[in-house]
């Protein structure tokens, strides 16, 4: 599975980057490709490339705030979750995404 996503929390500090790290680890452990952009206090980092978005099977938005650039995902299956869910249960979230694509 190819996953792209955005992580963003209200403060744009801790949960944004923790969510990114946990998503990367959980997806890679299950053999998936993943790229997660962060939108935080430092602005946008690890910006998603158009080719990655186009190749993605699913878009995961792990955010507690409105994220910018959602229009890039038109026509893609989008899953929205709070960052706290990613921080607490990243493996279960990836399993759920796998089930959605079966």
């Amino acid at each position: 599975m190819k996953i792209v996503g955005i992580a963003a929390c209200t403060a744009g500090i801790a949960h944004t980057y923790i969510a990114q790290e946990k998503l990367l680890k959980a997806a890679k452990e299950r053999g998936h490709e993943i790229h997660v952009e962060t939108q935080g206090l430092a602005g946008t980092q690890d910006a998603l490339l158009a080719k990655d978005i186009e190749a993605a099977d699913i878009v995961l938005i792990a955010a507690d705030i409105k994220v910018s650039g959602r229009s890039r995902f038109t026509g893609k299956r989008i899953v929205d979750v709070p960052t706290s869910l990613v921080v607490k249960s990243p493996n279960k979230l990836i399993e759920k995404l796998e089930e959605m694509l079966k």
Side-chain angles (χ1 to χ4, degrees), residues 1-53:
M1 179 167 56
K2 292 182 181 182
I3 307 164
V4 294
I6 297 175
C9 70
T10 51
I13 306 172
H15 278 92
T16 297
Y17 301 102
I18 293 169
Q20 179 192 38
E21 183 180 315
K22 290 198 176 233
L23 282 171
L24 294 174
K25 185 175 187 260
K28 287 178 181 175
E29 284 177 354
R30 296 184 67 85
H32 303 299
E33 288 181 38
I34 185 167
H35 188 114
V36 181
E37 171 181 301
T38 59
Q39 293 184 11
L41 197 57
T44 298
Q45 295 178 313
D46 300 316
L48 298 172
L49 301 174
K51 67 180 178 87
D52 294 328
I53 295 168

